[in-house]
Amino acid sequence: MLSKKTKYAIKALMVLGRNYGKEPMQIGKIAEEERIPKKFLEQILLEMRNAGILYSKKGAGGGYSLNKAPEDIYLSQVMRLIDGPIALLPCVSLNFYRSCEECVEEHACGIRDTFVEVRNAMLQILNDTSISNLINKEKELNLEVGKD
């Protein structure tokens, strides 16, 4: 399940993506716009700044902005940064691999084999979906709703 922290990170990145190329945004404005607790958002934005996804500016006119274009920030990158492994089992994780304690023969495990397929399908989507894609998808969905 997607953690609340990761969901908030993605929502904040979408706000900053819509603001890309403009003045930095203050934490309070992002928090208010997306209904994210400000203190929690501060931690998330700091983590993303330390990873190079965001840029921060102090003082008057300060705040946060994207350090890269929204089309260059992918969901898989954000999810791994905030929550760690994407895979549902540690034995199928690409970046956070651990063998399962109860597994006798990993190469012959039907559960593992199935979850490798799940991981691959999920990673395909997450690696291909950028913040820009989400922003555009949201615009499309809002247009569809407006047609009613």
Side-chain angles (χ1 to χ4, degrees):
M1 189 179 315
L2 193 64
S3 73
K4 193 167 271 204
K5 186 177 180 184
T6 298
K7 188 174 181 182
Y8 287 163
I10 294 168
K11 288 168 115 354
L13 288 170
M14 289 176 69
V15 169
L16 292 168
R18 287 189 289 271
N19 195 59
Y20 185 66
K22 300 176 187 168
E23 290 294 313
M25 290 185 73
Q26 294 183 341
I27 293 174
K29 175 121 174 78
I30 299 167
E32 182 183 316
E33 202 170 307
E34 291 299 326
R35 296 185 198 102
I36 302 171
K38 189 177 172 185
K39 284 287 184 197
F40 195 28
L41 182 60
E42 285 174 358
Q43 296 169 359
I44 295 167
L45 295 180
L46 183 62
E47 207 170 320
M48 290 194 290
R49 188 201 72 191
N50 291 340
I53 294 173
L54 299 179
Y55 166 80
S56 66
K57 181 180 172 187
K58 293 184 181 187
Y64 281 89
S65 56
L66 296 182
N67 208 21
K68 340 173 169 185
E71 55 270 10
D72 295 329
I73 302 170
Y74 293 91
L75 289 183
S76 56
Q77 175 188 14
V78 177
M79 289 175 67
R80 282 187 178 116
L81 172 67
I82 303 298
D83 279 340
I86 291 173
L88 299 175
L89 294 173
C91 64
V92 301
S93 180
L94 294 174
N95 297 312
F96 301 90
Y97 172 85
R98 282 189 346 261
S99 62
C100 295
E101 294 174 16
E102 65 281 351
C103 197
V104 179
E105 291 188 47
E106 192 174 271
H107 67 279
C109 178
I111 296 169
R112 181 181 187 278
D113 191 59
T114 299
F115 280 88
V116 165
E117 290 180 44
V118 170
R119 179 209 61 209
N120 290 343
M122 190 164 59
L123 269 180
Q124 179 72 48
I125 294 167
L126 297 174
N127 284 333
D128 290 344
T129 305
S130 69
I131 295 301
S132 182
N133 295 134
L134 292 179
I135 292 167
N136 291 333
K137 175 62 91 176
E138 209 168 72
K139 285 178 189 170
E140 290 171 20
L141 291 169
N142 283 322
L143 287 174
E144 288 176 16
V145 170
K147 289 180 181 176
D148 285 56

